[in-house]
């Protein structure tokens, strides 16, 4: 039985990856940071199948212990301060967690189990003010946020450990990927949650920032398979994972609102609070290397993804509203 250590298992990708590896028969160790209120929402359904280890990305001793306990064949570093907008008000925290702590993870692996295969969650946000359309593995980086800058560090330190210590370290340059488990502050989920609330009469407007930004949005469940595939190859390498399509926030609104029979222009309000100090205007990835070498391809289209998210949010918001009504009557 193979074993895997996942840092960031409570997040969107960590939860899908854990499901995927459990299905493949892996022993899955999940590293989570201690919090006063436990946050198992995304992994509640598989919580008992996971071996839990307490650790924080900023604490090397805890990472060394996590690698020692799990003795992993594969290590997936998905943990990060992952919200771009939060990286301006908290640039140092973002640098400590999203950049420097990648070295902590790599050091823990190098010291305790240098033969383990390592995956680093790199990001299309590194392309920022894009130097080439579409973006591929060789496109130069031009990050536009403290988060993007931090991810560039994480990417290069992963490449550096591969080249310096002969470690099997891969960097997956993943374009935006979403799901019903996406955090509520990210634009897709903010929209699908807003659509559900508006449709159910619980909200009458949705406040957003730049509607012209374009992203290459895929389904997280498809993308975790690519992470695993990277670690099954004969040689470590870096890969772009994307859908090769781009859509604006405006198109996202059209798809989500029209699905429930509404017109987004009746509800969306532009709020400068959500406009970023520097924007990434357009992302679209060329993932031909991953298609060819990994045999990876996306299964869920953009429209299917957004409709899936709206459906799940309608169910959840309806259940919450019913519960509140029962509580109010009791
Ligand atoms: P996410 O939902 O925000 O999950 C982030 C995870 O990191 C959570 O489990 C979080 O734990 C954990 N974490 C944060 N700080 C930590 C710390 N100091 N120590 C230990 N764990 C910590 O992110 P995601 O969407 O799943 O993305 C996974 C990774 O891929 C991230 O590195 C992200 O930057 C990168 N990425 C994401 C996308 C995308 O579109 N989703 C695209 C490219 C790259 P808590 O639950 O305790 O907060
Ligand atoms: N979050 C948010 N909220 N974004 C908005 C809003 C709003 O109210 N209004 C417009 N947007 C625009 C943002 O300005 C951005 O251009 C786009 O919607 C997408 O924003 P997010 O969903 O927050 O994602 P992101 O592209 O900044 O970052 C995500 O993808 C990266 C990969 O490219 C995150 O998952 C990162 O962790 C990931 O690395």
């Amino acid at each position: 039985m193979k074993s895997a250590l996942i840092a960031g298992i409570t997040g969107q990708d960590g939860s899908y990856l854990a499901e995927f590896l459990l299905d493949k028969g892996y022993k899955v160790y999940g590293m989570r940071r201690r919090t006063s209120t436990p946050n198992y929402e995304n992994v509640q359904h598989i919580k008992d199948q996971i071996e839990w280890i307490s650790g924080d990305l900023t604490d090397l001793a805890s990472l060394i212990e996590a690698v020692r306990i799990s003795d992993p064949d594969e290590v997936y570093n998905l943990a990060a301060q992952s919200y771009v907008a939060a990286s301006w008000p908290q640039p140092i925290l973002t640098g400590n967690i999203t950049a420097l702590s990648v070295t902590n993870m790599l050091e823990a692996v190098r010291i305790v189990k240098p033969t383990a295969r390592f995956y680093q969650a790199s990001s299309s946000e590194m392309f920022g003010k894009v130097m080439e359309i579409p973006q591929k593995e060789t496109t130069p980086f031009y990050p536009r946020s403290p988060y993007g800058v931090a991810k560039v560090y994480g990417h290069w330190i992963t490449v550096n450990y591969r080249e310096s210590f002969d470690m099997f370290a891969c960097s997956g340059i993943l374009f935006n990927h979403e799901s019903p488990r996406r955090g509520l502050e990210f634009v897709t989920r903010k929209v699908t949650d807003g659509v559900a609330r508006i449709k159910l009469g619980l909200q009458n407007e949705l406040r957003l920032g730049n509607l012209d930004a374009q992203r290459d949005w895929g389904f997280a469940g498809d993308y975790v398979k690519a992470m695993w595939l990277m670690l099954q190859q004969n040689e470590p390498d870096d890969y772009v994972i994307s859908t090769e399509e781009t859509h604006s926030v405006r198109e996202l609104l059209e798809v989500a609102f029209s699905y429930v029979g509404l017109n987004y222009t009746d509800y969306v309000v532009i709020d400068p609070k959500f406009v970023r100090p520097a924007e990434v205007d357009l992302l679209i990835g060329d993932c031909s290397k991953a298609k060819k070498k990994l045999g990876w391809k996306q299964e869920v289209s953009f429209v299917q993804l957004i409709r899936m998210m709206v459906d799940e949010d309608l169910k959840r918001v309806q259940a919450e509203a019913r519960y509140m009504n029962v509580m109010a009557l009791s």
Side-chain angles (χ1 to χ4, degrees):
M1 186 192 259
K2 273 192 178 180
S3 68
L5 172 64
I6 305 178
I9 191 166
T10 54
Q12 171 188 256
D13 291 8
S15 66
Y16 282 105
L17 180 65
E19 273 172 18
F20 178 79
L21 294 177
L22 286 169
D23 278 353
K24 288 220 164 288
Y26 277 62
K27 180 155 192 161
V28 175
Y29 290 85
M31 194 191 83
R32 60 175 293 276
R33 50 182 170 171
R34 199 205 67 80
T35 48
S36 329
T37 312
N39 160 29
Y40 290 111
E41 199 178 323
N42 286 333
V43 280
Q44 197 58 50
H45 57 299
I46 47 170
K47 188 167 168 259
D48 296 342
Q49 299 170 62
I50 290 164
E51 303 287 331
W52 291 97
I53 302 176
S54 186
D56 192 293
L57 224 56
T58 56
D59 186 293
L60 178 58
S62 70
L63 303 183
I64 288 176
E65 191 58 6
V67 179
R68 193 191 61 74
I69 294 169
S70 56
D71 187 27
D73 297 296
E74 295 167 14
V75 176
Y76 295 86
N77 181 29
L78 310 182
Q81 188 302 91
S82 74
Y83 186 40
V84 172
S87 74
W88 280 282
Q90 300 193 337
I92 296 167
L93 176 132
T94 302
N96 281 337
I97 296 179
T98 305
L100 199 54
S101 293
V102 182
T103 313
N104 282 343
M105 281 298 291
L106 284 161
E107 275 296 279
V109 174
R110 187 184 69 81
I111 292 165
V112 182
K113 181 123 193 233
T115 55
R117 297 184 168 204
F118 181 86
Y119 174 85
Q120 167 59 16
S122 291
S123 164
S124 53
E125 185 72 13
M126 301 190 299
F127 296 122
K129 189 171 178 178
V130 299
M131 307 299 282
E132 189 177 21
I133 298 173
Q135 298 85 51
K136 52 181 186 282
E137 291 80 3
T138 50
T139 303
F141 300 137
Y142 191 146
R144 293 273 280 171
S145 61
Y147 168 86
V149 173
K151 281 288 179 187
V152 171
Y153 175 91
H155 171 80
W156 282 117
I157 198 69
T158 302
V159 173
N160 182 260
Y161 268 55
R162 179 167 78 216
E163 293 175 356
S164 306
F165 303 115
D166 207 19
M167 284 170 60
F168 195 109
C170 298
S171 171
I173 307 174
L174 272 50
F175 282 63
N176 299 48
H177 44 280
E178 321 291 311
S179 74
R181 298 182 199 163
R182 186 57 142 155
L184 279 164
E185 58 206 341
F186 297 90
V187 76
T188 51
R189 188 72 198 291
K190 186 173 170 180
V191 168
T192 60
D193 174 73
V195 164
R197 287 177 191 284
I198 290 168
K199 183 69 184 171
L200 297 170
L202 301 169
Q203 188 172 309
N204 53 22
E205 65 174 26
L206 179 61
R207 303 186 83 81
L208 293 169
N210 175 17
L211 306 191
D212 296 319
Q214 290 174 267
R215 290 291 182 278
D216 179 331
W217 277 297
F219 172 51
D222 289 342
Y223 284 40
V224 298
K225 291 180 197 157
M227 299 175 186
W228 176 79
L229 281 168
M230 287 179 212
L231 299 199
Q232 312 313 309
Q233 304 307 303
N234 290 333
E235 298 296 332
D237 207 344
D238 309 320
Y239 297 89
V240 158
I241 303 296
S242 66
T243 70
E244 305 190 322
E245 269 181 37
T246 194
H247 299 276
S248 64
V249 175
R250 215 178 286 283
E251 284 173 73
L252 158 68
L253 288 167
E254 272 160 14
V255 171
F257 276 84
S258 66
Y259 184 46
V260 297
L262 300 175
N263 183 341
Y264 81 90
T265 57
D266 295 335
Y267 303 97
V268 170
V269 176
I270 303 300
D271 186 336
K273 192 168 75 186
F274 298 110
V275 176
R276 298 177 178 181
E279 180 61 286
V280 171
D281 296 319
L282 165 76
L283 290 176
I284 179 164
D286 169 356
C287 64
S288 42
K289 177 175 169 184
K291 281 181 177 161
K292 189 165 163 233
K293 295 203 168 172
L294 305 179
W296 178 85
K297 63 173 170 48
Q298 73 170 111
E299 307 281 341
V300 178
S301 73
F302 172 67
V303 171
Q304 286 171 331
L305 168 67
I306 300 308
R307 289 183 174 178
M308 175 208 306
M309 292 173 70
V310 171
D311 283 336
E312 289 301 312
D313 275 325
L314 278 168
K315 273 191 241 159
R316 183 186 51 86
V317 173
Q318 212 155 22
E320 278 171 17
R322 239 183 260 126
Y323 175 76
M324 295 307 282
N325 281 341
V326 171
M327 293 306 281
L329 291 173
S330 64

